[in-house]
Amino acid sequence: MKDCKDIAVLGMGRVGTHLSAALRAAGHRVTEIRTHDAAEAARCAAGQDLLLLCVQDGRIADLNRMLRLTAGRTAVAHVSGATPLQAIADIAPRHGVFYCLQTFSPGDAIDFRQVPICVEANDEETAALLETVARSLSADVRRVDSRQRLGLHLAAVFASNYGNLMYTAAEQILQACGLDLALLQPIIEQTAEKLRRMPPLQAQTGPALRRDDGTLDKHRQLLADLPLPDDYRRLYDDLAAWIQRLHP
């Protein structure tokens, strides 16, 4: 590989494990750092082109206080969506962000060519390095600043984390009616597929959109009758009202 880099990955949790494997498959020379000792981590990172901090957001501030790359030209980047660039400014003169917009679970196969990677850096040389590494993995690489990345992370929480919460609510309603979530799999997949062809606002359907008060009332009554928390009815009303505000 022409642009093969020496990359150290600190933290072998979900993100670190997936990212390390993808970088190695792309031809980079990868060093996995599993120690929690900052001095040992710095020793392992010495001589690398790039150190990726694949740790939980709460540990980034600790690393910024304790980890120092004092020799060589090693750049350091964290992979957090919600942490600003400056949060690692004390670790090394060259610092950046390498944010992979995907959810990572153990055992899942991730096609990194389909994963957007957003990069940011404190200087052009580091930004170019991060872009080179990102393009070896993904077909969608973008430069974003810290505020844009935080907004992207927030949007991803609504789309993925809160989306999963809605699937959980749907599953609990089905279970209360003696049914299972497999019944919803086709409609879930079709709803996601529609977003390839149209904006989500245009893809909206359902009784709230149609102002079908009869069906809405039936749903409310069933939610009151089922052995479910009152939160479900309040959530149903809030979401229905939100849809109607968006579609006056």
Side-chain angles (χ1 to χ4, degrees):
M1 175 182 170
K2 179 181 178 181
D3 290 317
C4 175
K5 303 298 181 184
D6 293 306
I7 302 174
V9 177
L10 174 59
M12 298 309 297
R14 295 180 181 184
V15 177
T17 298
H18 281 284
L19 194 50
S20 177
L23 289 167
R24 190 173 285 111
H28 300 289
R29 294 178 291 271
V30 178
T31 299
E32 297 178 354
I33 304 177
R34 301 175 184 270
T35 181
H36 290 281
D37 181 79
E40 177 65 12
R43 186 191 68 78
C44 294
Q48 304 289 312
D49 295 306
L50 176 64
L51 170 63
L52 291 175
L53 305 179
C54 298
V55 300
Q56 293 182 354
D57 288 11
R59 285 197 60 206
I60 292 176
D62 292 336
L63 289 173
N64 193 53
R65 287 195 299 269
M66 297 164 36
L67 180 60
R68 292 292 179 270
L69 304 183
T70 57
R73 296 281 300 158
T74 302
V76 60
H78 70 68
V79 299
S80 167
T83 304
L85 168 67
Q86 287 302 111
I88 58 170
D90 294 336
I91 296 177
R94 298 174 58 201
H95 47 276
V97 181
F98 193 89
Y99 176 48
C100 304
L101 183 57
Q102 182 56 279
T103 178
F104 296 96
S105 298
D108 282 357
I110 302 294
D111 179 6
F112 270 84
R113 296 304 298 170
Q114 305 298 319
V115 176
I117 300 180
C118 299
V119 302
E120 180 184 7
N122 71 312
D123 61 46
E124 182 58 33
E125 181 183 6
T126 305
L129 168 65
L130 294 176
E131 280 192 332
T132 295
V133 175
R135 292 190 191 285
S136 73
L137 301 180
S138 173
D140 188 354
V141 177
R142 311 186 191 200
R143 291 195 189 189
V144 301
D145 61 31
S146 290
R147 188 173 186 276
Q148 289 173 319
R149 178 165 37 82
L150 180 60
L152 180 60
H153 189 265
L154 172 61
V157 166
F158 270 90
S160 179
N161 301 155
Y162 294 166
N164 281 332
L165 179 63
M166 294 300 99
Y167 298 149
T168 299
E171 182 176 39
Q172 291 182 350
I173 291 169
L174 287 168
Q175 289 174 345
C177 294
L179 302 168
D180 64 83
L181 188 61
L183 286 164
L184 292 184
Q185 195 66 37
I187 196 172
I188 290 172
E189 293 176 0
Q190 179 63 19
T191 300
E193 178 60 30
K194 285 169 68 175
L195 298 184
R196 297 179 183 274
R197 308 189 306 270
M198 63 184 74
L201 193 66
Q202 185 179 340
Q204 186 68 58
T205 63
L209 177 71
R210 298 190 300 270
R211 267 62 176 184
D212 184 350
D213 292 334
T215 298
L216 293 172
D217 287 340
K218 290 175 184 176
H219 287 172
R220 294 186 182 102
Q221 185 58 55
L222 181 59
L223 286 170
D225 293 342
L226 291 173
L228 295 168
D230 290 342
D231 294 343
Y232 279 74
R233 170 137 182 201
R234 290 194 294 270
L235 180 61
Y236 184 87
D237 284 340
D238 287 345
L239 292 175
W242 193 356
I243 288 172
Q244 291 180 349
R245 287 195 297 273
L246 290 173
H247 297 269

